[in-house]
Amino acid sequence: TSAHIALVNDYFNNLVILDTQCSNLNCNTVTMNNYQGVYNAAQYLLELGHHKIGYIKGTPRISNFYDRRRGFKDSLKFHHINPDKLPKFYLPAMDIKVIDKNLDQFKSFIEDLTAIFCEDDYIAISTIKTLTKLGYRIPDDISVVGFDDISECRVMTPELTTIHVPIKEIAKEAIAMIERNTSPTEPKKQVLINTNLVCRESVRSLI
């Protein structure tokens, strides 16, 4: 959280925080552009004819997830779709398992949906495993998109369409920032590295 980062930031003049935006703090950060990634992913689904898109939020809630949700909502609003009228669901982030608790609520959530966006790949894989167990075919019956492009995305069936996070570029920028900021009077910088959508087999066109 920003409160924890603030404590550390006070002790180091040249600290660079990775993978977290801290817009309220005067600190150096380098992270992926969560907003841009999900905005483009939602636009991609809309261009393929998906208008009934469910959204699965990760728990616990972190700043990255809030930015992803904001990108999703703004993309739909741009296409004159009210995102608040589309169903949402909650699943633990960073965990892969078939949904057993709240299964009835999950069934209600997916009713009439043509696509689901998940706030991270672990959620997306859990969703696909649960949908498959319920008899749904991915992507014939429902499309699924994740975020992060973890290695499991390429070894599952179907391979997961997701948002790739350029980890190497984030690391390079952080190192460059440390090397540039040699003076304690140097202005702090907060840098966003854009993501890109990786189209695989878990999404189909409805057009």
Side-chain angles (χ1 to χ4, degrees):
T1 65
S2 293
H4 292 106
I5 292 172
L7 294 173
V8 179
N9 189 53
D10 289 340
Y11 284 94
F12 298 95
N13 291 325
N14 208 12
L15 180 71
V16 178
I17 308 298
L18 301 182
D19 196 29
T20 301
Q21 266 191 285
C22 303
S23 301
N24 61 323
L25 296 179
N26 183 29
C27 62
N28 296 308
T29 65
V30 184
T31 190
M32 80 289 285
N33 193 337
N34 292 283
Y35 176 95
Q36 168 260 341
V38 178
Y39 189 101
N40 290 343
Q43 181 171 298
Y44 171 70
L45 289 173
L46 292 167
E47 289 173 349
L48 294 181
H50 295 279
H51 292 91
K52 296 180 179 179
I53 308 170
Y55 190 98
I56 302 188
K57 295 183 172 185
T59 57
R61 304 299 291 160
I62 59 175
S63 60
N64 286 342
F65 291 163
Y66 288 112
D67 289 338
R68 293 172 194 180
R69 177 65 175 170
R70 188 166 53 88
F72 176 81
K73 294 178 75 171
D74 284 354
S75 186
L76 267 64
K77 287 176 182 177
F78 181 81
H79 290 85
H80 310 292
I81 298 173
N82 184 352
D84 295 326
K85 291 187 177 181
L86 294 176
K88 58 183 179 290
F89 195 75
Y90 290 86
L91 284 177
M94 306 299 292
D95 191 17
I96 297 177
K97 64 179 181 180
V98 175
I99 300 169
D100 49 9
K101 297 180 180 179
N102 302 322
L103 186 58
D104 288 339
Q105 290 92 324
F106 181 76
K107 290 178 180 178
S108 297
F109 161 73
I110 61 176
E111 188 175 355
D112 295 329
L113 294 181
T114 64
I116 300 172
F117 177 80
C118 304
E119 282 187 330
D120 74 19
D121 289 339
Y122 295 94
I123 294 171
I125 295 171
S126 295
T127 298
I128 289 176
K129 288 171 69 72
T130 304
L131 288 169
T132 301
K133 186 175 181 181
L134 291 173
Y136 287 84
R137 298 166 300 162
I138 313 299
D140 293 344
D141 298 324
I142 192 164
S143 296
V144 179
V145 179
F147 193 115
D148 282 326
D149 196 21
I150 62 176
S151 58
E152 287 86 347
C153 295
R154 298 182 295 277
V155 297
M156 61 180 295
T157 302
E159 293 187 11
L160 182 64
T161 293
T162 186
I163 298 159
H164 176 74
V165 175
I167 297 173
K168 290 183 179 180
E169 287 73 15
I170 290 173
K172 288 178 182 178
E173 179 60 33
I175 293 170
M177 186 180 291
I178 291 171
E179 292 174 342
R180 289 193 302 264
N181 296 347
T182 56
S183 170
T185 60
E186 183 80 15
K188 306 292 186 181
K189 299 178 180 66
Q190 301 205 2
V191 177
L192 291 177
I193 306 294
N194 286 344
T195 63
N196 64 283
L197 183 67
V198 181
C199 302
R200 297 196 179 102
E201 301 168 356
S202 65
V203 173
R204 78 178 184 100
S205 174
L206 299 182
I207 300 174

